[in-house]
Amino acid sequence: MKLSHRHLSFLVALTFPLQAEELYTTDFSDFPVGPDQLAGFDNWTGSHSGQMLHGIDENAYAGRGHSAYLGAEHPSSPTDLVRVYHPVISDGEIETMQFQVLFGIAESFEGGYDTFSFSFYGAGDSFLAAIHFDTTEIDFGIWTDFLHLLTVNIGATTNQWSADLDGIPIFEGPTLFSINTDALPVVGIAAEWEITDPNDPGDNWLLFDDWTVTATLKEDSAPAPLSTQIRRLGNGIELTWPVLARQSYQVESSVDGKEWVPREPIVIPENSTSTASYRDLEMTNP
C-alpha cells in the first residue's frame, strides 16, 4: 500500500458494537459426557458433586448432541435444593442483559413431583429472581416431551425485567422488580432442582442447552482514551496500544486530517490483556 502524501495521520479507536455483546454461550459440545461432568468445567459450579445429580448427557433429546441435565437420581441424603451455577462475567458495567436457554422437563415416574427453576443472583449470592416450573401443577403436562426457549430480559440499572416462553410473555414487561433505586446487577445464573419433599425426591429431571448471556454495557464504563505509541520502521510505521479482551479496535488513516480511511479491524481474543500493534510497511514520501 503506497501513500505518496507528505503528511500521514493515524487514529486508533476502541469501537463498541451497536448490538449486545455476548458474555457467555455454550451448547456443551466441548464438555465430557457423563454424571458430574458439568460442575468444574468452564467456570460452572454445583452443589452435591459426586452424587450423579447433574452432568452432561448425549442425545437425551434426539439430535441435540450434548446437553446438560439436573435431577433424575436421588441425593445421598435428604435435601431440598440441588443447583448448578455459572457466573456472569463482564469487562464493564452492564446496562441491559438477556438470558436465553433451551430446556425440557421430564416428569417423575417414581417419587414426588418437584420444581425446576432458572434463578438469578446478585452480589454475595443474594437471590434476585427466578422462573419456576412446578411439576406438581395440574397443567404441567404442557411442558413434557418438548423443548422450550426461555428468554429473560433484565434492565440491570433500572431493575425492570421481562420474560417469555417460546415467545409468549410469562409476565408483561418491563416489570419493576424492586422499588430500591439502587442497581441490582445479576452476577450469576443457576439451574435449580427444588425438591418438594426431601424424603421423597422424584426421578424427574431438567435438560438444558444453548445457555447464552448477552449484554449491553454503559458507555461511561468504557476505558479512558488510548495511549498510542508510534515508532518508525525504516520505510514504515508501527502503532502500539494497550488492549482489553473481547474488544474490537479500528485503525483509520488520513492524509489531511479531514477524511479518514478505515483499515481492517483488530479483534482481541478471549483472555488477552497485552497490547496490539498495526504496521504500514510501505509508507513513502514524495
Side-chain angles (χ1 to χ4, degrees):
M1 176 176 58
K2 292 253 182 177
L3 298 170
S4 59
H5 298 273
R6 187 166 299 169
H7 300 290
L8 181 68
S9 300
F10 283 92
L11 172 68
V12 183
L14 169 60
T15 61
F16 291 95
L18 297 178
Q19 58 185 10
E21 174 186 348
E22 189 173 82
L23 299 184
Y24 179 75
T25 186
T26 183
D27 60 2
F28 302 104
S29 59
D30 295 332
F31 287 60
V33 174
D36 298 302
Q37 299 299 306
L38 174 57
F41 295 89
D42 202 17
N43 289 323
W44 284 86
T45 59
S47 66
H48 302 81
S49 294
Q51 299 183 34
M52 303 176 66
L53 302 181
H54 42 72
I56 303 296
D57 208 339
E58 188 168 22
N59 291 322
Y61 194 91
R64 288 301 308 174
H66 292 192
S67 300
Y69 72 87
L70 175 64
E73 300 292 338
H74 290 179
S76 59
S77 59
T79 184
D80 61 0
L81 180 66
V82 180
R83 76 170 188 169
V84 289
Y85 173 97
H86 195 272
V88 173
I89 301 173
S90 172
D91 291 327
E93 184 180 353
I94 294 175
E95 187 165 32
T96 64
M97 188 175 80
Q98 182 182 84
F99 167 67
Q100 283 192 321
V101 65
L102 194 66
F103 77 96
I105 297 174
E107 62 182 321
S108 289
F109 287 99
E110 297 181 356
Y113 291 85
D114 304 316
T115 298
F116 293 95
S117 306
F118 294 100
S119 300
F120 302 84
Y121 290 88
D125 204 33
S126 59
F127 175 78
L128 296 179
I131 306 293
H132 300 289
F133 298 92
D134 188 349
T135 71
T136 67
E137 296 294 328
I138 296 175
D139 293 333
F140 163 70
I142 65 173
W143 301 324
T144 58
D145 301 323
F146 295 99
L147 293 181
H148 303 277
L149 180 65
L150 173 66
T151 303
V152 181
N153 294 296
I154 303 166
T157 57
T158 62
N159 300 326
Q160 291 184 320
W161 297 46
S162 63
D164 65 69
L165 183 66
D166 298 330
I168 301 173
I170 296 176
F171 52 85
E172 294 295 337
T175 298
L176 186 64
F177 262 49
S178 173
I179 60 174
N180 191 336
T181 57
D182 295 333
L184 297 173
V186 174
V187 301
I189 305 172
E192 298 181 332
W193 175 21
E194 300 176 39
I195 301 174
T196 305
D197 182 353
N199 294 308
D200 187 30
D203 59 358
N204 40 202
W205 55 283
L206 168 72
L207 174 146
F208 56 98
D209 204 348
D210 294 350
W211 181 290
T212 302
V213 179
T214 57
T216 58
L217 305 182
K218 292 187 66 174
E219 291 186 5
D220 59 8
S221 68
L226 297 173
S227 175
T228 307
Q229 295 181 352
I230 303 176
R231 184 164 67 100
R232 288 193 173 275
L233 296 174
N235 65 333
I237 190 171
E238 180 184 63
L239 309 178
T240 304
W241 64 92
V243 298
L244 294 174
R246 301 198 306 272
Q247 299 293 347
S248 175
Y249 294 82
Q250 180 73 62
V251 177
E252 297 182 354
S253 63
S254 175
V255 296
D256 58 10
K258 297 179 181 179
E259 296 183 4
W260 293 87
V261 178
R263 306 300 175 91
E264 188 72 20
I266 298 173
V267 180
I268 306 304
E270 183 80 25
N271 299 325
S272 177
T273 56
S274 56
T275 60
S277 62
Y278 174 85
R279 295 184 180 185
D280 187 333
L281 297 178
E282 297 186 70
M283 182 185 70
T284 61
N285 290 325

